[in-house]
């Protein structure tokens, strides 16, 4: 997709640290920790997608079918590339939804 190599390395460390933090809340269930991380991290994006993206693109949200780690990583990779545009949350939501749709179509 064209992410900068150093940004990818930074975001890998970031996701590992976040997931590790959530695992302390779910010591016996890393999958539940990842699902909770995704839920908290992507709440605004999911609301935006439900209100804007899905009606516009006639897209049905199939959250259960999506890989939570993929969604968390996509979010942070895009966030890492946004620079000053991070302060435009609608753009971040759009880019995450578009990247998610691209990943789903590639499967």
């Amino acid at each position: 997709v064209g992410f900068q190599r150093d940004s990818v390395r930074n975001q890998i460390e970031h996701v590992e640290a976040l997931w590790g933090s959530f695992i302390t809340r779910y010591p016996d269930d890393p999958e539940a920790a990842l699902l909770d991380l995704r839920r908290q991290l992507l709440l605004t994006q999911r609301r935006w997608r439900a209100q804007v993206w899905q009606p516009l693109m006639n897209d049905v949200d199939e959250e259960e079918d999506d890989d939570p780690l993929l969604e968390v990583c996509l979010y942070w990779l895009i966030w890492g590339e946004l620079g000053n545009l991070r302060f435009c949350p609608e753009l971040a939501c759009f880019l995450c939804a578009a990247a998610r749709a691209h990943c789903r179509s590639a499967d």
Side-chain angles (χ1 to χ4, degrees):
V1 178
F3 297 111
Q4 297 176 49
R5 189 179 333 217
D6 289 337
S7 179
V8 171
R9 277 194 292 249
N10 290 338
Q11 296 310 330
I12 288 170
E13 283 183 37
H14 190 188
V15 170
E16 287 174 345
L18 279 172
W19 194 3
S21 175
F22 274 75
I23 286 174
T24 61
R25 301 177 199 170
Y26 303 90
D28 298 328
D29 193 357
E31 182 70 23
L34 182 58
L35 292 173
D36 192 25
L37 170 60
R38 176 179 70 172
R39 183 186 59 78
Q40 289 185 38
L41 179 66
L42 303 178
L43 182 62
T44 300
Q45 184 207 1
R46 288 201 177 282
R47 287 180 180 161
W48 179 90
R49 194 167 61 223
Q51 294 174 0
V52 178
W53 182 265
Q54 291 170 338
L56 182 65
M57 303 303 287
N58 293 324
D59 187 23
V60 177
D61 191 19
E62 299 171 0
E63 179 181 336
E64 303 83 33
D65 295 339
D66 290 334
D67 179 359
L69 185 57
L70 173 71
E71 282 195 283
V72 168
C73 289
L74 268 177
Y75 174 82
W76 284 118
L77 287 169
I78 291 168
W79 185 88
E81 298 289 338
L82 283 177
N84 288 335
L85 296 176
R86 289 182 196 136
F87 303 107
C88 182
E90 294 83 7
L91 177 62
C93 289
F94 171 78
L95 291 173
C96 286
R100 179 178 178 250
H102 175 75
C103 288
R104 290 168 93 193
S105 69
D107 287 340

